Amino acid sequence: MEYDVIVIGAGLTGLSLAFFLQQKGKKVIVLEKMNRAGGAMHTHSENGFIYEEGPNTGVLGNPEIAELFEMLEIKPVVADKKAEKRLIYKNKNWYALPSGPVSFLKTPLFTLKDKIKIAFEPFVKRGTDPDESVASIASRRIGQSFVDYAVNPFISGIYAGDPEKLTTRYALPKLYKLEQKYGSFIGGSFKKSREPKNARDKKATKEVFSGAVGFGSLIEALVNKIGKENIVCGALDIKVKKVSDRFEVTFNKDQIKQQYLSYKVISSVGANALPDLLPFISPLDMKKMTNLTYAKVVQVAVGVERKAINDKYVSFGGLIPQKENRQLLGVLFPSFCFPDRAPQGYATLAIYLGGTRHPELFDLSDEKLTAIVHEELKDLFKIPSSAICFLKIFRHRYAIPQYEVSTGERLATIAKVEKDHDGLYIAGNIRNGIGIADRVKQAYDIAEQLVWKTAVHYV
Ligand SMILES: Cc1cc2nc3c(=O)[nH]c(=O)nc-3n(C[C@H](O)[C@H](O)[C@H](O)COP(=O)(O)OP(=O)(O)OC[C@H]3O[C@@H](n4cnc5c(N)ncnc54)[C@H](O)[C@@H]3O)c2cc1C
């Protein structure tokens, strides 16, 4: 069988790629090792509860994600206003992150010294180290208490990672550019907000979203548009081989060996899967491309009686700074953000453990993890065990790639490998951002690039 493009991996990146390429008239096949499409995105529905195994919320942060919904003819569900309230844990209490100048001055989360220091942030000199860590840039510009009680929990919430280890220009490129381009986070944000925007730019917002029935709705819409016949699930032992200027992709499906041919192959798999998939890449290049730490994450979906949650906790959720020495990284309240996530009188929680902070928790038994969750919910939110009506544990060994200093070498090597092997694209969240909107933007950009290159080739 011959295809214009073979996409490997049917997570959000691979499916978005296939969809955008099909829209441009390409004949595409997606090969996925699991028996379902969606990758990290996986929504469960049970006894009136809707809960996620992977991501719970995204941000409509670029036009590409907004346009994907338009093209799929479905609507994102934007989070309730309650989601604007975000809690941070300090000294056995939860505090809302400040939302204005008065709450900023009053909050006990940050020291008075740092509150004063922030007024002088626009006058702090630009950093000169391109590999400066997130913790270092934040401490230099806004103060250590902001690192401890805003940046640290924020990075834990996004990357399940450590701000001391993440490199700002790769992990938070927008923040890095604010300093480099405008010389200030505060001044830069203000100037950026006043820059003229075209109609397309305006599609990017800060709105938090999910799908109608969780992210499963987005995956379902993608699968339906792409066509189930164009997605091969359960494709095992996939190997890509170069045969003159084409790629031969072999795999086993139901114990029958299959072979597809194409001039274009796009991988959207994680770094851990690349060596087996692309055996023709030199060991040195492969080592550089896959030199990547992953945060292991345990996500626990919990259903509780609504009356057991004090109204003061009604919010997007709460994050726990490392300094507080707790076992949990944070808790989200999806049913306070999105409708129909729990039956009347109940609520859903998504609880995160592990990450780079507590990797040892990943290997604990379900029994021990359950005990930790019960204890922590009681201690942190006064939710008694008797109010917990269900609890599901999901382990993600390769949950979130950490964009550390090795990212520069990884990106350069990917560029070299793509140049050495024309028609091969290395996509996925090993580059270009880990967020949902980042995944869709990468897919859109690669589809554009591939179609443009093909057109130039034939001129
Ligand atoms: C627990 C968790 C919570 C998250 N929460 C959020 C959040 O709230 N907001 C947010 O924006 N982002 C979140 N993320 C990040 C975001 O979900 C991911 O970056 C994104 O979904 C990754 O999509 P992907 O398609 O690149 O990779 P994946 O979803 O990992 O898809 C890759 C696919 O490739 C397949 N595959 C792997 N190896 C092979 C092989 N050899 N052959 C064939 N197929 C293969 C896999 O089975 C998988 O289906 C979260 C991630 C995790 C794990």
Side-chain angles (χ1 to χ4, degrees):
M1 294 278 268
E2 278 204 49
Y3 291 91
D4 292 334
V5 188
I6 299 174
V7 174
I8 299 165
L12 179 62
T13 309
L15 293 176
S16 305
L17 265 161
F19 173 68
F20 288 133
L21 287 164
Q22 275 187 343
Q23 295 293 302
K24 291 174 184 298
K26 298 289 171 197
K27 185 180 169 198
V28 186
I29 189 88
V30 185
L31 304 179
E32 164 60 49
K33 71 171 182 184
M34 294 209 287
N35 286 322
R36 59 165 185 88
M41 282 187 167
H42 194 188
T43 307
H44 298 263
S45 252
E46 203 179 318
N47 300 328
F49 288 97
I50 293 169
Y51 54 93
E52 302 283 2
E53 181 167 336
N56 272 276
T57 60
V59 178
L60 293 166
N62 58 40
E64 289 79 4
I65 180 79
E67 286 169 355
L68 178 67
F69 276 97
E70 286 167 21
M71 291 163 87
L72 291 171
E73 299 168 290
I74 57 168
K75 283 200 180 339
V77 177
V78 173
D80 190 276
K81 278 256 167 219
K82 292 183 208 99
E84 285 170 14
K85 182 171 164 189
R86 314 234 164 169
L87 305 173
I88 301 286
Y89 191 73
K90 184 174 185 181
N91 297 337
K92 297 192 181 301
N93 279 303
W94 289 100
Y95 298 99
L97 265 180
S99 54
V102 176
S103 55
F104 174 75
L105 288 173
K106 282 185 167 169
T107 184
L109 289 172
F110 315 121
T111 61
L112 179 62
K113 185 174 143 236
D114 285 346
K115 287 179 191 173
I116 295 168
K117 180 173 172 169
I118 211 166
F120 296 94
E121 188 274 338
F123 307 104
V124 176
K125 276 200 275 176
R126 272 185 186 83
T128 51
D129 174 7
D131 289 332
E132 187 170 18
S133 74
V134 172
S136 165
I137 197 172
S139 148
R140 189 166 54 70
R141 298 203 69 87
I142 54 180
Q144 191 57 37
S145 65
F146 286 98
V147 174
D148 293 339
Y149 286 94
V151 176
N152 176 286
F154 169 76
I155 287 295
S156 173
I158 298 177
Y159 280 93
D162 178 356
E164 301 278 351
K165 297 219 173 107
L166 298 183
T167 302
T168 315
R169 71 176 157 138
Y170 305 124
L172 298 176
K174 287 184 185 161
L175 191 77
Y176 181 72
K177 275 186 207 141
L178 283 182
E179 185 186 53
Q180 290 303 309
K181 185 169 172 194
Y182 303 98
S184 158
F185 297 162
I186 297 173
S189 307
F190 180 71
K191 282 186 194 144
K192 245 188 123 206
S193 69
R194 295 173 66 97
E195 281 171 0
K197 285 190 179 128
N198 63 28
R200 185 161 194 258
D201 295 338
K202 283 185 190 156
K203 290 181 181 177
T205 68
K206 292 192 170 114
E207 285 176 322
V208 170
F209 78 100
S210 176
V213 187
F215 282 117
S217 302
L218 175 58
I219 297 301
E220 191 184 332
L222 277 164
V223 169
N224 288 340
K225 286 276 182 188
I226 295 164
K228 286 197 174 91
E229 66 285 6
N230 297 316
I231 304 171
V232 181
C233 287
L236 302 177
D237 306 323
I238 303 177
K239 295 253 181 280
V240 182
K241 201 170 141 193
K242 273 188 95 175
V243 181
S244 82
D245 56 349
R246 277 203 300 189
F247 296 99
E248 179 192 274
V249 180
T250 55
F251 60 94
N252 289 313
K253 164 87 180 155
D254 301 329
Q255 294 177 339
I256 297 169
K257 189 160 180 173
Q258 312 228 18
Q259 182 203 56
Y260 291 166
L261 294 169
S262 180
Y263 287 98
K264 312 276 178 204
V265 167
I266 308 178
S267 160
S268 70
V269 307
N272 55 307
L274 283 173
D276 282 345
L277 187 70
L278 305 173
F280 60 90
I281 304 290
S282 78
L284 182 62
D285 284 345
M286 186 53 82
K287 194 171 163 211
K288 290 180 184 170
M289 278 202 302
T290 57
N291 178 16
L292 180 59
T293 308
Y294 278 86
K296 301 188 257 186
V297 172
V298 181
Q299 180 164 320
V300 186
V302 180
V304 299
E305 289 170 16
R306 170 63 186 87
K307 64 177 194 280
I309 307 174
N310 191 305
D311 283 347
K312 69 182 175 187
Y313 301 130
V314 172
S315 62
F316 181 76
L319 289 167
I320 305 175
Q322 182 156 13
K323 282 208 138 195
E324 295 299 311
N325 266 325
R326 306 292 310 204
Q327 311 218 59
L328 304 191
L329 301 175
V331 177
L332 291 185
F333 296 121
S335 60
F336 294 150
C337 302
F338 303 111
D340 307 324
R341 295 299 176 98
Q344 189 69 27
Y346 291 88
T348 52
L349 277 62
I351 296 171
Y352 296 89
L353 299 97
T356 58
R357 197 186 290 175
H358 289 302
E360 72 286 356
L361 296 185
F362 186 84
D363 296 312
L364 290 187
S365 65
D366 282 6
E367 208 181 5
K368 286 197 172 135
L369 287 169
T370 303
I372 291 175
V373 168
H374 276 254
E375 262 169 45
E376 289 282 75
L377 286 182
K378 195 166 176 194
D379 207 37
L380 294 166
F381 295 103
K382 311 283 172 280
I383 297 174
S385 288
S386 57
I388 296 177
C389 57
F390 85 82
L391 188 150
K392 303 272 172 184
I393 296 171
F394 302 107
R395 289 180 178 77
H396 301 267
R397 181 167 291 280
Y398 298 100
I400 313 277
Q402 304 294 299
Y403 291 178
E404 298 176 352
V405 73
S406 61
T407 300
E409 185 183 64
R410 184 169 70 256
L411 297 182
T413 311
I414 289 173
K416 172 184 177 288
V417 164
E418 289 183 345
K419 195 160 170 258
D420 290 351
H421 305 284
D422 190 32
L424 176 69
Y425 296 79
I426 311 286
N429 64 9
I430 64 171
R431 64 180 175 108
N432 302 130
I434 60 138
I436 289 166
D438 299 322
R439 299 293 79 241
V440 174
K441 177 167 170 40
Q442 182 192 59
Y444 180 89
D445 289 346
I446 291 177
E448 288 282 306
Q449 187 192 341
L450 185 148
V451 170
W452 180 82
K453 266 181 90 175
T454 314
V456 170
H457 189 74
Y458 287 113
V459 167

